[in-house]
Amino acid sequence: MLISLTVAVDVLKPIVPCSLLSLSMVPFASCAIVIGGASWIVPSHIAQKLDNMLYKSYMRLCLFVFENLSGVEITVYGSKEVLNKSGAPENALLVSNHQSNVDWIIPVMLAARHGDGGNEQAFRVMVKNSIHLVPMFGWYIFQHGYIYVRRFGEFIGAPVLRQLNWLNQSMPPYWLLIFPEGTRLTAKKKKLVKSSNQFLESNGRQPMQNVLCPRSGGLQLALDNLSTLDAIYDVTVMYGQMRVPERRGMAPGMFDFCCGPQTFKHLHIHLNRIPIEQVPKEKLSLRNWTIDRFVEKDRIIDEFYSDSPEGGTPLPCVPISQTLPSTLFFSAALLAPFFSRTIGRIYLLTIASSPLLIAWLHIRKCV
């Protein structure tokens, strides 16, 4: 009996955090729709402030799961001045390697330690177009300034430029995350690595094993249209689990990261702050500069695999006092329908509105 219970708990362990994050999107979207409706009545800066508060609350729920609950150790190398709790936060582009569906939470971890009171509300991502089809989430993130880009087919620039212009004029600050590789690199994608290296070699470059050849198109659009940028944060992410024998190139997924064994659960983040004045904007120069940054990432990751990383600064876990209020709020919001039929109906209407919200994105030519 005890063994069966232990096995059941182990099986259910990943389901709890996953369910908390995904189901919380229903009350989150319900609140977002109300704020969106209010934006037609109240001044835009008030609606945006309410939206930032809501989004920041959800990001702190994510931090509760990915930091407090997971128990991950975090070590940062390089430009530690980014993790400065005093002073005004910066407007920044974050350029990162891409290995896992966990990569997006790394900038949120950094943002929680940047500026007075944290900067989680600033986080946005340049994401693939297909994500707009995710019920509720796909609609909301566009409202908050995420940018949809097409990986395949004809590039449609109007919605991208509109979003960049909105970010440039919105209530500061903003952090825009870009994955120049365009897709996740795993050990299984050998053909992708081969084609990437063939392109590099045809352009007189050395092949790379830990990253793909980056594309600079998204970065070029951002630099051309975001006049309020302060810096680029060059982020290289390395997962301790990938140092396990025979696991090189196999980054942990969400379940493994949050609920896997604590052995090797160590996040290594190499951070380099580059003032925007030092970043070239001419197309060919920027392309070469971007490739140079990924050559450096390839070297950093190679050293991570071959040697024990040194010189980093361990980061204490984000305080539970910072994440627990949001977690309790969304937990209470999920329990509310059991005590109020009205709230239950509101949630059902929110879920039922998902096709209309997706249709709205297409009608407004947002994707």
Side-chain angles (χ1 to χ4, degrees), residues 95 180 199-206 208 211-217 219-220 223 232 234 274 278-297:
V95 177
F199 176 82
L200 285 169
E201 289 171 347
S202 67
N203 285 272
R205 294 274 187 166
Q206 292 296 313
M208 299 186 288
V211 293
L212 296 173
C213 179
R215 304 172 184 178
S216 58
L219 190 58
Q220 183 81 61
L223 289 171
I232 284 183
D234 184 7
I274 304 167
Q278 297 179 14
V279 181
K281 292 188 177 181
E282 191 274 324
K283 188 174 181 178
L284 182 58
S285 298
L286 179 63
R287 176 185 162 191
N288 288 327
W289 180 89
T290 307
I291 294 175
D292 288 341
R293 300 313 310 167
F294 273 74
V295 168
E296 177 65 9
K297 289 179 187 294

mmCIF file of all heavy atoms in Angstrom, residues 95 180 199-206 208 211-217 219-220 223 232 234 274 278-297:
data_model
loop_
_atom_site.group_PDB
_atom_site.id
_atom_site.type_symbol
_atom_site.label_atom_id
_atom_site.label_comp_id
_atom_site.label_asym_id
_atom_site.label_seq_id
_atom_site.Cartn_x
_atom_site.Cartn_y
_atom_site.Cartn_z
ATOM 1 N N VAL A 95 19.046 38.418 -26.265
ATOM 2 C CA VAL A 95 19.395 37.484 -27.338
ATOM 3 C C VAL A 95 19.912 36.212 -26.682
ATOM 4 O O VAL A 95 20.928 36.231 -25.993
ATOM 5 C CB VAL A 95 20.467 38.091 -28.263
ATOM 6 C CG1 VAL A 95 20.874 37.093 -29.332
ATOM 7 C CG2 VAL A 95 19.941 39.376 -28.906
ATOM 8 N N PRO A 180 17.454 33.972 -31.953
ATOM 9 C CA PRO A 180 17.874 34.085 -33.363
ATOM 10 C C PRO A 180 18.040 32.743 -34.086
ATOM 11 O O PRO A 180 18.032 32.712 -35.318
ATOM 12 C CB PRO A 180 19.218 34.828 -33.268
ATOM 13 C CG PRO A 180 19.157 35.568 -31.977
ATOM 14 C CD PRO A 180 18.397 34.664 -31.062
ATOM 15 N N PHE A 199 25.999 26.010 -44.095
ATOM 16 C CA PHE A 199 25.839 27.435 -44.393
ATOM 17 C C PHE A 199 27.017 28.228 -43.845
ATOM 18 O O PHE A 199 27.555 29.121 -44.527
ATOM 19 C CB PHE A 199 24.525 27.947 -43.797
ATOM 20 C CG PHE A 199 24.321 29.426 -43.973
ATOM 21 C CD1 PHE A 199 23.821 29.933 -45.167
ATOM 22 C CD2 PHE A 199 24.643 30.330 -42.965
ATOM 23 C CE1 PHE A 199 23.648 31.299 -45.347
ATOM 24 C CE2 PHE A 199 24.472 31.688 -43.127
ATOM 25 C CZ PHE A 199 23.969 32.170 -44.330
ATOM 26 N N LEU A 200 27.427 27.923 -42.607
ATOM 27 C CA LEU A 200 28.554 28.631 -42.009
ATOM 28 C C LEU A 200 29.829 28.430 -42.831
ATOM 29 O O LEU A 200 30.557 29.388 -43.111
ATOM 30 C CB LEU A 200 28.773 28.137 -40.574
ATOM 31 C CG LEU A 200 27.770 28.618 -39.526
ATOM 32 C CD1 LEU A 200 27.938 27.836 -38.226
ATOM 33 C CD2 LEU A 200 27.927 30.111 -39.257
ATOM 34 N N GLU A 201 30.089 27.195 -43.223
ATOM 35 C CA GLU A 201 31.299 26.887 -43.985
ATOM 36 C C GLU A 201 31.289 27.547 -45.360
ATOM 37 O O GLU A 201 32.329 27.992 -45.857
ATOM 38 C CB GLU A 201 31.455 25.375 -44.115
ATOM 39 C CG GLU A 201 31.838 24.708 -42.788
ATOM 40 C CD GLU A 201 31.782 23.192 -42.865
ATOM 41 O OE1 GLU A 201 31.217 22.661 -43.841
ATOM 42 O OE2 GLU A 201 32.310 22.533 -41.945
ATOM 43 N N SER A 202 30.093 27.636 -45.968
ATOM 44 C CA SER A 202 29.996 28.297 -47.280
ATOM 45 C C SER A 202 30.260 29.792 -47.180
ATOM 46 O O SER A 202 30.522 30.453 -48.183
ATOM 47 C CB SER A 202 28.606 28.059 -47.884
ATOM 48 O OG SER A 202 27.599 28.726 -47.129
ATOM 49 N N ASN A 203 30.164 30.330 -45.954
ATOM 50 C CA ASN A 203 30.436 31.747 -45.729
ATOM 51 C C ASN A 203 31.763 31.969 -45.007
ATOM 52 O O ASN A 203 31.982 33.034 -44.403
ATOM 53 C CB ASN A 203 29.293 32.377 -44.921
ATOM 54 C CG ASN A 203 28.043 32.609 -45.756
ATOM 55 O OD1 ASN A 203 27.887 33.652 -46.388
ATOM 56 N ND2 ASN A 203 27.153 31.622 -45.774
ATOM 57 N N GLY A 204 32.626 30.944 -45.069
ATOM 58 C CA GLY A 204 33.971 31.083 -44.510
ATOM 59 C C GLY A 204 34.029 31.042 -43.006
ATOM 60 O O GLY A 204 34.992 31.547 -42.404
ATOM 61 N N ARG A 205 33.019 30.423 -42.376
ATOM 62 C CA ARG A 205 32.965 30.347 -40.916
ATOM 63 C C ARG A 205 33.233 28.917 -40.444
ATOM 64 O O ARG A 205 32.998 27.954 -41.164
ATOM 65 C CB ARG A 205 31.578 30.768 -40.416
ATOM 66 C CG ARG A 205 31.240 32.222 -40.663
ATOM 67 C CD ARG A 205 31.765 33.076 -39.534
ATOM 68 N NE ARG A 205 31.337 34.450 -39.621
ATOM 69 C CZ ARG A 205 31.449 35.311 -38.616
ATOM 70 N NH1 ARG A 205 31.959 34.925 -37.459
ATOM 71 N NH2 ARG A 205 31.049 36.555 -38.758
ATOM 72 N N GLN A 206 33.691 28.813 -39.193
ATOM 73 C CA GLN A 206 33.899 27.508 -38.594
ATOM 74 C C GLN A 206 32.558 26.914 -38.147
ATOM 75 O O GLN A 206 31.660 27.653 -37.728
ATOM 76 C CB GLN A 206 34.836 27.620 -37.382
ATOM 77 C CG GLN A 206 36.261 27.992 -37.731
ATOM 78 C CD GLN A 206 36.934 26.919 -38.571
ATOM 79 O OE1 GLN A 206 36.868 25.735 -38.264
ATOM 80 N NE2 GLN A 206 37.589 27.348 -39.652
ATOM 81 N N MET A 208 29.755 25.017 -35.792
ATOM 82 C CA MET A 208 29.451 25.081 -34.367
ATOM 83 C C MET A 208 28.644 23.853 -33.982
ATOM 84 O O MET A 208 27.811 23.382 -34.756
ATOM 85 C CB MET A 208 28.678 26.366 -34.046
ATOM 86 C CG MET A 208 29.438 27.652 -34.377
ATOM 87 S SD MET A 208 28.610 29.170 -33.857
ATOM 88 C CE MET A 208 27.249 29.253 -35.027
ATOM 89 N N VAL A 211 25.265 25.376 -30.821
ATOM 90 C CA VAL A 211 24.251 26.347 -31.232
ATOM 91 C C VAL A 211 24.091 26.255 -32.739
ATOM 92 O O VAL A 211 24.959 25.731 -33.440
ATOM 93 C CB VAL A 211 24.632 27.802 -30.833
ATOM 94 C CG1 VAL A 211 24.626 27.984 -29.331
ATOM 95 C CG2 VAL A 211 25.993 28.179 -31.413
ATOM 96 N N LEU A 212 22.974 26.793 -33.232
ATOM 97 C CA LEU A 212 22.752 26.862 -34.676
ATOM 98 C C LEU A 212 23.191 28.227 -35.195
ATOM 99 O O LEU A 212 23.292 29.196 -34.423
ATOM 100 C CB LEU A 212 21.273 26.653 -34.980
ATOM 101 C CG LEU A 212 20.676 25.294 -34.619
ATOM 102 C CD1 LEU A 212 19.158 25.314 -34.826
ATOM 103 C CD2 LEU A 212 21.315 24.189 -35.434
ATOM 104 N N CYS A 213 23.417 28.305 -36.477
ATOM 105 C CA CYS A 213 23.728 29.598 -37.085
ATOM 106 C C CYS A 213 22.535 30.528 -36.899
ATOM 107 O O CYS A 213 21.412 30.197 -37.296
ATOM 108 C CB CYS A 213 24.030 29.423 -38.574
ATOM 109 S SG CYS A 213 24.408 30.983 -39.413
ATOM 110 N N PRO A 214 22.725 31.683 -36.283
ATOM 111 C CA PRO A 214 21.588 32.576 -35.999
ATOM 112 C C PRO A 214 21.148 33.364 -37.228
ATOM 113 O O PRO A 214 21.922 33.618 -38.145
ATOM 114 C CB PRO A 214 22.161 33.509 -34.936
ATOM 115 C CG PRO A 214 23.622 33.590 -35.288
ATOM 116 C CD PRO A 214 23.996 32.222 -35.794
ATOM 117 N N ARG A 215 19.874 33.746 -37.197
ATOM 118 C CA ARG A 215 19.341 34.663 -38.202
ATOM 119 C C ARG A 215 19.204 36.034 -37.548
ATOM 120 O O ARG A 215 18.761 36.149 -36.407
ATOM 121 C CB ARG A 215 17.976 34.171 -38.683
ATOM 122 C CG ARG A 215 17.982 32.750 -39.220
ATOM 123 C CD ARG A 215 16.575 32.261 -39.488
ATOM 124 N NE ARG A 215 16.548 30.871 -39.918
ATOM 125 C CZ ARG A 215 15.440 30.202 -40.168
ATOM 126 N NH1 ARG A 215 14.258 30.782 -40.028
ATOM 127 N NH2 ARG A 215 15.496 28.933 -40.543
ATOM 128 N N SER A 216 19.527 37.057 -38.278
ATOM 129 C CA SER A 216 19.529 38.401 -37.678
ATOM 130 C C SER A 216 18.311 39.237 -38.073
ATOM 131 O O SER A 216 18.228 40.407 -37.696
ATOM 132 C CB SER A 216 20.813 39.144 -38.076
ATOM 133 O OG SER A 216 20.917 39.235 -39.498
ATOM 134 N N GLY A 217 17.347 38.640 -38.801
ATOM 135 C CA GLY A 217 16.208 39.426 -39.292
ATOM 136 C C GLY A 217 15.373 40.048 -38.183
ATOM 137 O O GLY A 217 15.024 41.235 -38.231
ATOM 138 N N LEU A 219 16.236 40.602 -35.073
ATOM 139 C CA LEU A 219 17.073 41.578 -34.368
ATOM 140 C C LEU A 219 17.175 42.875 -35.162
ATOM 141 O O LEU A 219 17.116 43.978 -34.599
ATOM 142 C CB LEU A 219 18.447 40.964 -34.130
ATOM 143 C CG LEU A 219 19.415 41.687 -33.210
ATOM 144 C CD1 LEU A 219 18.822 41.873 -31.835
ATOM 145 C CD2 LEU A 219 20.736 40.924 -33.125
ATOM 146 N N GLN A 220 17.291 42.747 -36.488
ATOM 147 C CA GLN A 220 17.373 43.926 -37.354
ATOM 148 C C GLN A 220 16.104 44.767 -37.256
ATOM 149 O O GLN A 220 16.165 45.996 -37.111
ATOM 150 C CB GLN A 220 17.579 43.482 -38.803
ATOM 151 C CG GLN A 220 17.751 44.627 -39.788
ATOM 152 C CD GLN A 220 19.162 45.185 -39.796
ATOM 153 O OE1 GLN A 220 20.109 44.480 -40.092
ATOM 154 N NE2 GLN A 220 19.294 46.469 -39.455
ATOM 155 N N LEU A 223 16.022 46.569 -33.816
ATOM 156 C CA LEU A 223 16.967 47.680 -33.724
ATOM 157 C C LEU A 223 16.529 48.871 -34.564
ATOM 158 O O LEU A 223 16.733 50.035 -34.187
ATOM 159 C CB LEU A 223 18.360 47.222 -34.163
ATOM 160 C CG LEU A 223 19.095 46.270 -33.214
ATOM 161 C CD1 LEU A 223 20.356 45.735 -33.874
ATOM 162 C CD2 LEU A 223 19.431 46.962 -31.903
ATOM 163 N N ILE A 232 21.598 45.587 -25.216
ATOM 164 C CA ILE A 232 21.291 44.198 -25.547
ATOM 165 C C ILE A 232 21.886 43.330 -24.443
ATOM 166 O O ILE A 232 23.031 43.528 -24.040
ATOM 167 C CB ILE A 232 21.873 43.795 -26.918
ATOM 168 C CG1 ILE A 232 21.015 44.398 -28.045
ATOM 169 C CG2 ILE A 232 21.935 42.274 -27.066
ATOM 170 C CD1 ILE A 232 21.459 44.014 -29.440
ATOM 171 N N ASP A 234 23.073 39.753 -23.872
ATOM 172 C CA ASP A 234 23.431 38.505 -24.549
ATOM 173 C C ASP A 234 23.410 37.394 -23.497
ATOM 174 O O ASP A 234 24.259 37.358 -22.603
ATOM 175 C CB ASP A 234 24.819 38.659 -25.167
ATOM 176 C CG ASP A 234 25.228 37.447 -25.975
ATOM 177 O OD1 ASP A 234 24.398 36.540 -26.164
ATOM 178 O OD2 ASP A 234 26.392 37.395 -26.417
ATOM 179 N N ILE A 274 25.516 44.606 -23.400
ATOM 180 C CA ILE A 274 26.173 45.340 -24.484
ATOM 181 C C ILE A 274 25.426 46.655 -24.706
ATOM 182 O O ILE A 274 24.246 46.639 -25.094
ATOM 183 C CB ILE A 274 26.173 44.511 -25.789
ATOM 184 C CG1 ILE A 274 26.825 43.146 -25.549
ATOM 185 C CG2 ILE A 274 26.878 45.259 -26.906
ATOM 186 C CD1 ILE A 274 26.596 42.159 -26.666
ATOM 187 N N GLN A 278 27.067 50.185 -29.085
ATOM 188 C CA GLN A 278 28.118 49.305 -29.600
ATOM 189 C C GLN A 278 27.594 48.245 -30.562
ATOM 190 O O GLN A 278 28.360 47.404 -31.033
ATOM 191 C CB GLN A 278 28.825 48.614 -28.421
ATOM 192 C CG GLN A 278 29.555 49.568 -27.479
ATOM 193 C CD GLN A 278 30.216 48.854 -26.320
ATOM 194 O OE1 GLN A 278 30.360 47.626 -26.320
ATOM 195 N NE2 GLN A 278 30.609 49.618 -25.308
ATOM 196 N N VAL A 279 26.306 48.285 -30.850
ATOM 197 C CA VAL A 279 25.696 47.270 -31.716
ATOM 198 C C VAL A 279 25.540 47.844 -33.125
ATOM 199 O O VAL A 279 24.909 48.900 -33.299
ATOM 200 C CB VAL A 279 24.314 46.835 -31.179
ATOM 201 C CG1 VAL A 279 23.705 45.767 -32.086
ATOM 202 C CG2 VAL A 279 24.440 46.322 -29.753
ATOM 203 N N PRO A 280 26.094 47.208 -34.153
ATOM 204 C CA PRO A 280 25.956 47.730 -35.520
ATOM 205 C C PRO A 280 24.525 47.592 -36.023
ATOM 206 O O PRO A 280 23.817 46.659 -35.647
ATOM 207 C CB PRO A 280 26.903 46.831 -36.322
ATOM 208 C CG PRO A 280 26.976 45.558 -35.553
ATOM 209 C CD PRO A 280 26.866 45.952 -34.111
ATOM 210 N N LYS A 281 24.093 48.504 -36.864
ATOM 211 C CA LYS A 281 22.730 48.452 -37.400
ATOM 212 C C LYS A 281 22.694 48.176 -38.901
ATOM 213 O O LYS A 281 21.638 47.836 -39.443
ATOM 214 C CB LYS A 281 21.997 49.759 -37.089
ATOM 215 C CG LYS A 281 21.711 49.946 -35.609
ATOM 216 C CD LYS A 281 20.818 51.145 -35.354
ATOM 217 C CE LYS A 281 20.481 51.269 -33.874
ATOM 218 N NZ LYS A 281 19.590 52.433 -33.610
ATOM 219 N N GLU A 282 23.818 48.344 -39.561
ATOM 220 C CA GLU A 282 23.878 48.023 -40.989
ATOM 221 C C GLU A 282 23.686 46.512 -41.158
ATOM 222 O O GLU A 282 24.206 45.716 -40.372
ATOM 223 C CB GLU A 282 25.216 48.474 -41.558
ATOM 224 C CG GLU A 282 25.302 48.436 -43.076
ATOM 225 C CD GLU A 282 25.715 47.072 -43.601
ATOM 226 O OE1 GLU A 282 26.545 46.422 -42.938
ATOM 227 O OE2 GLU A 282 25.201 46.661 -44.661
ATOM 228 N N LYS A 283 22.935 46.101 -42.186
ATOM 229 C CA LYS A 283 22.460 44.720 -42.307
ATOM 230 C C LYS A 283 23.577 43.681 -42.264
ATOM 231 O O LYS A 283 23.531 42.728 -41.472
ATOM 232 C CB LYS A 283 21.654 44.580 -43.604
ATOM 233 C CG LYS A 283 20.955 43.240 -43.736
ATOM 234 C CD LYS A 283 20.062 43.222 -44.972
ATOM 235 C CE LYS A 283 19.346 41.881 -45.085
ATOM 236 N NZ LYS A 283 18.431 41.849 -46.264
ATOM 237 N N LEU A 284 24.588 43.824 -43.119
ATOM 238 C CA LEU A 284 25.655 42.832 -43.183
ATOM 239 C C LEU A 284 26.486 42.841 -41.904
ATOM 240 O O LEU A 284 26.874 41.781 -41.384
ATOM 241 C CB LEU A 284 26.544 43.090 -44.398
ATOM 242 C CG LEU A 284 27.684 42.081 -44.614
ATOM 243 C CD1 LEU A 284 27.132 40.662 -44.755
ATOM 244 C CD2 LEU A 284 28.509 42.469 -45.843
ATOM 245 N N SER A 285 26.748 44.027 -41.381
ATOM 246 C CA SER A 285 27.528 44.136 -40.143
ATOM 247 C C SER A 285 26.800 43.477 -38.978
ATOM 248 O O SER A 285 27.409 42.787 -38.151
ATOM 249 C CB SER A 285 27.810 45.611 -39.822
ATOM 250 O OG SER A 285 28.575 46.210 -40.840
ATOM 251 N N LEU A 286 25.478 43.699 -38.914
ATOM 252 C CA LEU A 286 24.693 43.097 -37.836
ATOM 253 C C LEU A 286 24.657 41.573 -37.973
ATOM 254 O O LEU A 286 24.748 40.852 -36.977
ATOM 255 C CB LEU A 286 23.271 43.654 -37.838
ATOM 256 C CG LEU A 286 22.337 43.084 -36.750
ATOM 257 C CD1 LEU A 286 22.868 43.438 -35.363
ATOM 258 C CD2 LEU A 286 20.912 43.593 -36.928
ATOM 259 N N ARG A 287 24.532 41.103 -39.200
ATOM 260 C CA ARG A 287 24.527 39.648 -39.419
ATOM 261 C C ARG A 287 25.834 39.028 -38.921
ATOM 262 O O ARG A 287 25.822 38.011 -38.206
ATOM 263 C CB ARG A 287 24.335 39.365 -40.905
ATOM 264 C CG ARG A 287 24.411 37.898 -41.285
ATOM 265 C CD ARG A 287 24.325 37.746 -42.787
ATOM 266 N NE ARG A 287 24.798 36.448 -43.232
ATOM 267 C CZ ARG A 287 25.024 36.124 -44.494
ATOM 268 N NH1 ARG A 287 24.827 37.013 -45.446
ATOM 269 N NH2 ARG A 287 25.456 34.934 -44.808
ATOM 270 N N ASN A 288 26.972 39.632 -39.275
ATOM 271 C CA ASN A 288 28.260 39.114 -38.828
ATOM 272 C C ASN A 288 28.425 39.240 -37.320
ATOM 273 O O ASN A 288 28.976 38.354 -36.663
ATOM 274 C CB ASN A 288 29.405 39.840 -39.545
ATOM 275 C CG ASN A 288 29.512 39.447 -41.007
ATOM 276 O OD1 ASN A 288 29.230 38.315 -41.379
ATOM 277 N ND2 ASN A 288 29.906 40.395 -41.849
ATOM 278 N N TRP A 289 27.935 40.342 -36.768
ATOM 279 C CA TRP A 289 28.007 40.560 -35.319
ATOM 280 C C TRP A 289 27.202 39.488 -34.586
ATOM 281 O O TRP A 289 27.657 38.946 -33.560
ATOM 282 C CB TRP A 289 27.462 41.955 -35.000
ATOM 283 C CG TRP A 289 27.476 42.316 -33.539
ATOM 284 C CD1 TRP A 289 28.491 42.916 -32.851
ATOM 285 C CD2 TRP A 289 26.414 42.124 -32.598
ATOM 286 N NE1 TRP A 289 28.135 43.110 -31.543
ATOM 287 C CE2 TRP A 289 26.860 42.640 -31.356
ATOM 288 C CE3 TRP A 289 25.135 41.596 -32.676
ATOM 289 C CZ2 TRP A 289 26.074 42.612 -30.205
ATOM 290 C CZ3 TRP A 289 24.337 41.559 -31.526
ATOM 291 C CH2 TRP A 289 24.801 42.060 -30.320
ATOM 292 N N THR A 290 26.013 39.173 -35.105
ATOM 293 C CA THR A 290 25.162 38.161 -34.471
ATOM 294 C C THR A 290 25.827 36.790 -34.511
ATOM 295 O O THR A 290 25.822 36.050 -33.519
ATOM 296 C CB THR A 290 23.785 38.095 -35.169
ATOM 297 O OG1 THR A 290 23.212 39.415 -35.219
ATOM 298 C CG2 THR A 290 22.837 37.174 -34.426
ATOM 299 N N ILE A 291 26.415 36.447 -35.655
ATOM 300 C CA ILE A 291 27.122 35.165 -35.755
ATOM 301 C C ILE A 291 28.298 35.140 -34.777
ATOM 302 O O ILE A 291 28.539 34.117 -34.106
ATOM 303 C CB ILE A 291 27.598 34.902 -37.198
ATOM 304 C CG1 ILE A 291 26.389 34.720 -38.127
ATOM 305 C CG2 ILE A 291 28.495 33.665 -37.262
ATOM 306 C CD1 ILE A 291 26.740 34.580 -39.597
ATOM 307 N N ASP A 292 29.019 36.248 -34.657
ATOM 308 C CA ASP A 292 30.132 36.315 -33.709
ATOM 309 C C ASP A 292 29.664 36.052 -32.277
ATOM 310 O O ASP A 292 30.353 35.376 -31.497
ATOM 311 C CB ASP A 292 30.810 37.690 -33.771
ATOM 312 C CG ASP A 292 31.620 37.889 -35.047
ATOM 313 O OD1 ASP A 292 31.956 36.882 -35.699
ATOM 314 O OD2 ASP A 292 31.888 39.066 -35.393
ATOM 315 N N ARG A 293 28.490 36.591 -31.940
ATOM 316 C CA ARG A 293 27.961 36.358 -30.590
ATOM 317 C C ARG A 293 27.684 34.874 -30.372
ATOM 318 O O ARG A 293 27.920 34.334 -29.278
ATOM 319 C CB ARG A 293 26.666 37.147 -30.362
ATOM 320 C CG ARG A 293 26.741 38.666 -30.490
ATOM 321 C CD ARG A 293 27.891 39.284 -29.774
ATOM 322 N NE ARG A 293 28.021 38.842 -28.397
ATOM 323 C CZ ARG A 293 29.093 39.063 -27.642
ATOM 324 N NH1 ARG A 293 30.131 39.697 -28.132
ATOM 325 N NH2 ARG A 293 29.133 38.636 -26.395
ATOM 326 N N PHE A 294 27.210 34.183 -31.401
ATOM 327 C CA PHE A 294 26.895 32.762 -31.249
ATOM 328 C C PHE A 294 28.144 31.891 -31.310
ATOM 329 O O PHE A 294 28.162 30.800 -30.736
ATOM 330 C CB PHE A 294 25.841 32.342 -32.278
ATOM 331 C CG PHE A 294 24.441 32.586 -31.781
ATOM 332 C CD1 PHE A 294 23.929 33.870 -31.725
ATOM 333 C CD2 PHE A 294 23.657 31.537 -31.326
ATOM 334 C CE1 PHE A 294 22.653 34.112 -31.235
ATOM 335 C CE2 PHE A 294 22.382 31.759 -30.831
ATOM 336 C CZ PHE A 294 21.878 33.051 -30.785
ATOM 337 N N VAL A 295 29.168 32.361 -31.981
ATOM 338 C CA VAL A 295 30.463 31.676 -31.904
ATOM 339 C C VAL A 295 30.957 31.692 -30.462
ATOM 340 O O VAL A 295 31.468 30.692 -29.937
ATOM 341 C CB VAL A 295 31.493 32.345 -32.848
ATOM 342 C CG1 VAL A 295 32.903 31.834 -32.560
ATOM 343 C CG2 VAL A 295 31.124 32.086 -34.304
ATOM 344 N N GLU A 296 30.791 32.831 -29.801
ATOM 345 C CA GLU A 296 31.187 32.948 -28.396
ATOM 346 C C GLU A 296 30.313 32.051 -27.512
ATOM 347 O O GLU A 296 30.811 31.412 -26.574
ATOM 348 C CB GLU A 296 31.089 34.409 -27.955
ATOM 349 C CG GLU A 296 31.407 34.675 -26.500
ATOM 350 C CD GLU A 296 32.856 34.382 -26.127
ATOM 351 O OE1 GLU A 296 33.678 34.130 -27.029
ATOM 352 O OE2 GLU A 296 33.168 34.401 -24.912
ATOM 353 N N LYS A 297 29.016 31.990 -27.795
ATOM 354 C CA LYS A 297 28.135 31.094 -27.042
ATOM 355 C C LYS A 297 28.590 29.640 -27.194
ATOM 356 O O LYS A 297 28.602 28.872 -26.218
ATOM 357 C CB LYS A 297 26.685 31.224 -27.541
ATOM 358 C CG LYS A 297 25.984 32.520 -27.180
ATOM 359 C CD LYS A 297 24.564 32.513 -27.755
ATOM 360 C CE LYS A 297 23.869 33.847 -27.568
ATOM 361 N NZ LYS A 297 23.626 34.160 -26.154
#
